[in-house]
Amino acid sequence: MLIKTIPGWSLPERKATPENVFWNRREFSKRAATGAILGATGIGFGENLYVSKGWGAEDPLADLFPASRNKRYVLDRPLTPKHLVTTYNNFFEFGSHKNVWKSAMQLPLRPWQLRFDGLVEKPITLDVDALIRKMALEERLLRHRCVEAWSIAVPWTGFPLKSLVDIARPLSGAKYLKMTGFNMPEIAKGQRQTWLPWPYVEGLTVEEAVNELTMIVVGAYGQPLPHQNGAPLRLIVPWKYGFKSIKSIQRFTFTHERPVSFWQEIASKEYGFWANVNPQVPHPRWSQATEKVLGTNERVPTQIYNGYGEFVAHLYEGLEDENLYM
Ligand code: MTE
């Protein structure tokens, strides 16, 4: 099933809430004031660092870093060295190989507007910096398991997606949240491959979107997010295969119809809507029983829900007839 995409930002101006009105009428949580500057930030992992131009001190959000660590999320393995996480990437907008970091740096990150629309009380467009500055940023150490059977462990900085859902105020008929990336074929050469269904799209149920583990990420290793990892903001859903964690999001659309993701549209027999990690359900072309840990190259057993079952397994009760693991 193909979802007919609403033409880009087709909402008449008069129907949109002006940004200043929006900010004035709401109370937002303040940035975590206590312990905002912690020594334990993640800076210092993998010291032979690659630091991209445009990432670091000159980033407009640099003063928000480092954020304090949320100790609720603990790892069972060392963090992956930063230089690997920032130079071994999947970002198909810039090519179908891992070495995309240089090309990804061409992506203009400002101005960057975020659109909230579909089944919401009132569609709005917000500036990314104004929005992020209203959020209580925190650092979480999380595992990330790619469907290709490699994994990383990263200190991400961000906030729960639930905070954005609260801002958007979805209507009761909204069952799904569709997230859409950018479409800039003049800059992103992968997007010149017109047989691919650009822009990149991903989706969650609203229950998944408001789950405490679901994170919008704006930084990594105690610094603003590098282009190649999905700046200025991306999703992280660590219990699902990595392709669900859409990068460089521009639009959040609430809908009653299950969104068809980028990969589902390309190969629906291999990539589904749910894509929850499960070592016992192989990909049609390879086993998912183990994963290669980037950095050590050790092969370790993959865990159900990537080890996050305590947070998310309840979301799937009663859905056993669905293809939950592809
Ligand atoms: N988001 C966009 N927009 N484009 C992509 O190609 N690749 C996905 C996901 N998000 C992808 C994306 C895949 S397959 C993975 S494994 C992760 O991003 C990789 O994230 P990383 O490069 O930060 O490790």
Side-chain angles (χ1 to χ4, degrees), residues 151-257:
S151 67
I152 48 181
V154 183
W156 298 117
T157 303
F159 53 87
L161 175 57
K162 183 177 184 306
S163 313
L164 290 191
V165 175
D166 291 344
I167 287 174
R169 295 205 280 194
L171 301 173
S172 58
K175 301 263 175 295
Y176 299 95
L177 173 57
K178 173 180 170 184
M179 285 154 279
T180 308
F182 62 87
N183 199 12
M184 299 185 201
E186 65 287 2
I187 287 159
K189 58 181 179 225
Q191 293 191 318
R192 292 176 211 154
Q193 299 181 316
T194 48
W195 60 92
L196 293 175
W198 302 111
Y200 201 94
V201 164
E202 258 308 336
L204 297 172
T205 64
V206 170
E207 288 75 23
E208 289 176 325
V210 300
N211 182 272
E212 66 159 285
L213 202 55
T214 307
M215 198 179 178
I216 289 292
V217 158
V218 300
Y221 296 90
Q223 289 181 278
L225 199 60
H227 291 67
Q228 61 271 29
N229 293 101
L233 87 178
R234 72 176 297 176
L235 180 72
I236 286 291
V237 274
W239 74 97
K240 292 179 178 285
Y241 290 116
F243 65 86
K244 296 290 297 182
S245 291
I246 176 173
K247 297 178 172 181
S248 307
I249 306 170
Q250 286 194 330
R251 185 177 183 184
F252 297 84
T253 306
F254 290 85
T255 161
H256 64 276
E257 238 182 347

